[in-house]
DNA sequence: AAGCTTTTTCTCGACAGTCGAGAAATTAGA
DNA sequence: TCTAATTTCTCGACTGTCGAGAAAAAGCTT
């Protein structure tokens, strides 16, 4: 059923439109906002006046006055309108970043990821968040959103990790990491989902369009996949299918998830190691494999070692077959490959293409674009900011109290 | 980027909201519309007055006057506001149905699907459409939409069949079937997509909710799949992934599409035939297989014939593995099985469950609900109407000329 | 049969929002 | 100092939703 609409909702939507234009271009004048949003000048006046009264945006000091005419007044977000903490969880570290409402990074630090169960893990994150606000002398209450990312499967509605490489199917509820004194909302997203979102936003920014949909494939100890799709007149739709644990081969090699024959059990780092040393495929896979180990295998493969070459080729084929199934079920789209595994692209490529070549969609639509984008960490952070600010802006506008109270 | 919003759009959206309430419940009074939409009574007055002036809805003759109080005035669509033709293409027949704006079926007839290429095929459809309007003495111009369905792959934006079992990858553009004198828009959708849409709408109607997403699997000569997902405050999102030609087994049996190892090449009727008679898997598959042939194999299987049993079991496994991949890439969801193949469900079930059981998603989320819904044709027709009317209503409201001109 | 009750529909005024046009502001250049 | 250029601001017209209460129209009561 459609939702009913009202004039107040119109104002809300146009307000977030103004804010998102400010996010995308940063520090805009009245006329520029009008151009970017398509709204009439008078409307911009009204909206910016509201937002200014509500102390969400402010007139910028530094007037970039160039040309004749009346000098332009630049608007930008009020920095201390609120804060945002991103928490990026990887296999060995947890990275915390504190960002102000204008999107500038104020502080960043990492902590080693300790041992222990989910309770200890959540306690560590709780402490990390406390440390983040204390270091910058910020009130807990002014943190609007905590955006967490991890590998694994997140519940779509709540910040609960349903499955992760480390804790398996033991659920981790990140909402529990915030104790009293915090008013922040907590969101959790798969890491590669954020990468896909960041790549899509980059396309929009540079080319102003391009393909309306793309996939991000992250290669490493585990295999991640994100899909991002532009929808006309709305926020992009991003999702993280369980690609790494999709079935690659019935009754195949044992996977870390406990199932058999997953894509990851052939294309993850530990799987490449297992294949290269001809360890039986039902061996319990190693928890952690140092990248240097895989580098050694890659070196041997590049020197002509058959078994090492085969390990990478089979990994590539598992990815290729998986991608062919992805294209079958989600439609044709370009694929961007990222993560530490990209350094073995030369060894994987042939297998990937072999796996892709057979299928109907590829025969119809041609080989999908395969682009390597090595710098995964900055994509993850970009994805955090894109998503988090779109939510924060929406929320801040949605809670109209702030706008009206401040107007008194 | 978000789209800008305006007060006129608000009225548009609320108008289609009123129309869709009328679609769902049929013939409503002022207050009922208000309850169903959540709009204020005054707003309903204004909108219904507009729609009545524009000759889109009318006050119903038959006043179901029961109880005290002022008698209610029932509104319903004006029957001759416009017409809709659905064209359901199956392997041997083409069925045409003429429906008026209120949703009642006026005429229906079928024609055998002749031989020949795409040009002859389009000419036949063109003739069929002419016949439909002539039989009911309706003006071509008053047909608002022609909704076509077929098995195969449709281009998302235009009514072009990109791949079909009969014409292969030779594209068929149904827009070409309408010559001068027609103003109708033409839409084309995969048959099983419509089934999925109809099933979702049925759930909404009966349970007012249920799972927000489901898959429809159609078993027959070819394998079709549709996904329907409810989105909060919007039209449901329905899609038809290329499930039948997703890779089941690398270097596997030859498929009608020319590729190897597709799901269909193991689970389609011709594949079951091929397996039961131990014909080599690279044999060019039969174009048409009478259902009676499959019935015979099923009878033998039920009497204990090993080879026949295996044919069905392998078909089931191909479906099960395919579904496990579907759940991996689209998330956990219930599956509704339909089509002529449902009569062999007893023989397929074990294989399907075996194929599903292994995967990570199923281990996490449990075995998905598998429900058999035998009556595919009525689901297809329902799906046509749901989708077509939502488009027609949107269009009729969107073209404001009609509303203003009629208001003079 | 007249009046009362009940229920629905309709109408009016208040309020919120967008937009176009033009006034006001402000600076660069003549 | 005046003028042209450019941006911002303001005003009135228009469209839309909503709540409250009037008007309508039937059944029920006496």
């Amino acid at each position: 059923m459609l939702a009913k609409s009202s004039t107040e909702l119109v104002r809300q939507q146009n307000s977030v439109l103004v804010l998102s234009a400010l996010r995308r271009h940063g520090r805009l004048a009245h006329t520029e906002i009008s151009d970017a949003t398509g709204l009439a000048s008078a409307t911009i006046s009204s909206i910016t006046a509201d937002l200014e009264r509500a102390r969400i945006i402010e007139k910028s000091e530094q007037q970039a006055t160039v040309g004749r005419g009346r000098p332009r007044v630049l608007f930008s977000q009020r920095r201390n309108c609120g804060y945002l903490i991103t928490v990026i969880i990887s296999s060995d570290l947890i990275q915390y970043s504190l960002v102000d409402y204008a999107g500038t990074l104020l502080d960043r630090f990492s902590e080693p990821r300790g041992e222990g169960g989910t309770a200890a893990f959540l306690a560590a994150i709780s402490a990390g968040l406390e440390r983040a606000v204390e270091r910058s002398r910020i009130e807990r209450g002014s943190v609007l959103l905590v955006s967490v990312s991890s590998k694994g499967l997140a519940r779509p509605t709540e910040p609960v990790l349903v499955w992760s490489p480390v804790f398996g199917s033991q659920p981790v509820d990140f909402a529990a990491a915030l104790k009293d004194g915090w008013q922040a909302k907590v969101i959790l997203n798969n890491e590669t989902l954020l990468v896909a979102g960041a790549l899509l936003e980059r396309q929009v920014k540079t080319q102003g369009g391009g393909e309306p949909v793309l996939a991000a494939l992250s290669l490493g100890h585990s295999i991640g996949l994100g899909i991002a799709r532009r929808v006309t007149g709305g926020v992009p739709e991003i999702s993280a299918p369980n690609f790494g644990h999709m079935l690659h081969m019935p009754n195949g090699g044992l996977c870390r998830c406990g199932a058999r024959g997953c894509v990851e059990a052939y294309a993850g780092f530990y799987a490449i190691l297992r294949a290269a040393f001809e360890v039986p495929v039902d061996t319990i896979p190693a928890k952690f494999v140092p990248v240097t180990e895989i580098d050694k295998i890659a070196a041997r493969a590049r020197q002509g070692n058959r078994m090492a070459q085969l390990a990478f080729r089979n990994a590539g084929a598992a990815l290729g077959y998986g991608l062919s199934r992805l294209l079958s079920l989600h439609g044709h789209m370009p694929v961007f490959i990222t993560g530490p595994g990209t350094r073995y692209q030369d060894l994987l490529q042939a297998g990937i293409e072999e796996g892709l070549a057979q299928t109907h969609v590829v025969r119809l639509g041609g080989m999908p674009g395969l682009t390597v984008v090595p710098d995964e960490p900055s994509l993850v952070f970009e994805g955090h900011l894109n998503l988090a600010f779109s939510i924060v802006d929406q929320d801040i506008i949605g809670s109209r109290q702030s706008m009206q109270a401040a107007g008194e």
Side-chain angles (χ1 to χ4, degrees), chain A:
Chain A
M1 180 64 101
L2 286 161
K4 78 170 187 183
S5 196
S6 66
T7 50
E8 281 90 353
L9 277 177
V10 168
R11 168 54 69 97
Q12 266 192 40
Q13 181 163 344
N14 286 341
S15 296
V16 303
L17 189 59
V18 167
L19 281 184
S20 78
L22 240 41
R23 289 269 166 236
R24 192 161 280 151
H25 306 103
R27 208 197 289 286
L28 291 179
H30 189 108
T31 43
E32 293 170 321
I33 299 178
S34 174
D35 288 350
T37 58
L39 293 166
S41 164
T43 308
I44 302 297
S45 280
S46 170
I47 289 176
T48 51
D50 266 15
L51 293 176
E52 217 181 341
R53 249 198 312 279
R55 325 197 86 228
I56 294 170
I57 64 173
E58 62 188 357
K59 293 196 175 109
S60 175
E61 319 292 278
Q62 154 206 347
Q63 309 290 40
T65 170
V66 68
R68 278 204 207 208
R70 179 169 173 171
R72 1 177 84 184
V73 187
L74 299 182
F75 286 101
S76 60
Q77 296 90 350
R78 272 192 66 237
R79 301 200 163 286
N80 53 353
C81 171
Y83 300 90
L84 167 69
I85 301 178
T86 68
V87 181
I88 298 177
I89 299 171
S90 54
S91 53
D92 49 345
L93 285 177
I94 306 177
Q95 185 197 64
Y96 300 86
S97 308
L98 180 70
V99 183
D100 70 16
Y101 188 65
T104 48
L105 180 63
L106 299 182
D107 185 24
R108 168 171 287 172
F109 59 93
S110 294
E111 290 182 346
R113 178 172 177 166
E115 302 288 310
T118 60
F121 178 65
L122 284 171
I125 289 191
S126 192
L129 293 173
E130 295 289 342
R131 193 174 157 207
V133 293
E134 271 164 27
R135 275 165 61 121
S136 300
R137 311 203 180 290
I138 281 172
E139 285 176 38
R140 278 164 195 64
S142 64
V143 176
L144 302 172
L145 188 72
V146 175
S147 179
V148 185
S149 71
S150 166
K151 296 186 193 304
L153 219 62
R155 199 172 290 170
T157 49
E158 297 143 307
V160 175
L161 199 54
V162 174
W163 187 89
S164 61
V166 174
F167 297 114
S169 57
Q170 211 175 342
V172 186
D173 183 356
F174 286 92
L178 260 59
K179 309 209 191 74
D180 302 332
W182 292 84
Q183 273 136 40
K185 188 191 262 192
V186 184
I187 59 171
L188 168 68
N189 285 105
N190 173 283
E191 194 174 287
T192 318
L193 173 146
L194 297 177
V195 171
L199 286 167
L200 192 74
E201 175 68 18
R202 278 191 188 174
Q203 281 200 345
V204 172
K205 260 191 181 160
T206 58
Q207 308 154 35
E211 286 264 355
V213 55
L214 62 82
L217 178 66
S218 169
L219 306 181
H221 204 67
S222 63
I223 306 294
L225 188 106
I227 298 177
R229 190 185 307 268
R230 272 208 308 284
V231 289
T232 48
V235 287
E237 191 182 288
I238 50 187
S239 61
N242 197 359
F243 181 83
H245 300 284
M246 176 172 70
L247 185 72
H248 165 54
M249 189 168 289
N251 305 309
L254 188 63
C255 178
R256 281 194 297 174
C257 75
R260 294 187 152 276
C262 300
V263 170
E264 190 183 291
Y266 288 84
F269 279 178
Y270 68 87
I272 294 175
L273 188 76
R274 189 163 65 183
F277 286 107
E278 299 184 65
V279 178
V281 290
D282 52 352
T283 313
I284 304 252
K287 270 261 173 188
F288 291 107
V289 182
V291 189
T292 51
E293 285 298 309
I294 312 294
D295 277 342
K296 281 184 208 157
I297 300 172
R300 287 218 306 279
R302 290 186 185 115
Q303 282 160 18
N305 178 292
R306 287 274 302 163
M307 221 44 225
Q309 283 176 344
L310 198 63
F312 280 105
R313 191 180 177 89
N314 285 343
L319 294 171
Y321 288 126
L323 287 177
S324 90
R325 287 164 180 146
L326 175 77
L327 300 191
S328 291
L329 293 185
H330 278 276
H332 205 274
M333 65 181 90
V335 178
F336 294 80
I337 307 175
T338 183
T342 48
R343 59 167 82 176
Y344 315 120
Q345 186 62 24
D346 55 329
L347 299 166
L348 294 168
Q349 183 85 21
I352 294 179
E353 288 181 2
E354 179 198 320
L356 272 168
Q358 287 196 21
T359 325
H360 186 212
V361 264
V362 174
R363 292 161 63 108
L364 273 180
M367 188 65 81
L370 295 176
T371 313
V372 173
V373 189
D375 185 11
E376 191 177 31
S378 40
L379 284 168
V380 173
F381 187 61
E382 256 180 66
H384 266 290
L385 295 193
N386 290 344
L387 199 57
F389 278 125
S390 85
I391 291 172
V392 165
D393 286 345
Q394 190 88 41
D395 283 0
I396 229 172
I397 299 289
S399 64
R400 293 272 303 169
Q401 291 90 313
S402 59
M403 314 238 351
Q404 281 153 349
E408 304 293 299

